[in-house]
Amino acid sequence: DRPDPPRALRLSGLSGTSLSLAWEPGWDGGLPQHFLLRADGPNAPPPPAALVTSGFSLTLGGLRPDTPYDVTVFACNARGDSAPVRLRAVTSAVPEAPPPQWEEPAAPPGGAEDP
């Protein structure tokens, strides 16, 4: 049979350019299974990011800062795909880098040596 959908899909971490996800596998249908993840975001170039893993967690990288993404996870085996499980997550804003500050070079130790 086809596998059951993953359970308990959750966001386990995020940054300005990545979302880390974790889930629990559903019944595998009696066959080896893997998981397909897709992230669809506004103005994302087609096709959306898609990754495959046999594990129960994955980090989607190369995303845009401060952007909402609809993440879809399917379980797949030789008989087909499960129903999708979805999660909406937003990457964090990347703080602007402060302007470089001028620092005076450290003065070399100088002066005459004491006898």
Side-chain angles (χ1 to χ4, degrees):
D1 287 340
R2 295 183 340 180
D4 287 345
R7 298 181 310 236
L9 177 62
R10 63 198 173 279
L11 187 65
S12 60
L14 62 87
S15 74
T17 58
S18 68
L19 297 171
S20 296
L21 304 149
W23 60 91
E24 296 172 16
W27 182 64
D28 62 10
L31 298 166
Q33 70 177 343
H34 59 275
F35 300 92
L36 174 68
L37 287 81
R38 291 174 42 121
D40 297 304
N43 303 318
L51 295 170
V52 175
T53 182
S54 57
F56 310 130
S57 65
L58 189 70
T59 298
L60 297 169
L63 306 177
R64 295 182 181 184
D66 197 24
T67 302
Y69 285 89
D70 292 315
V71 179
T72 306
V73 181
F74 296 88
C76 309
N77 69 16
R79 299 268 172 113
D81 299 344
S82 71
V85 176
R86 292 186 175 88
L87 172 85
R88 175 162 266 218
V90 180
T91 52
S92 62
V94 175
E96 290 185 30
Q101 295 183 354
W102 171 258
E103 292 184 18
E104 290 289 330
E113 291 183 15
D114 291 330

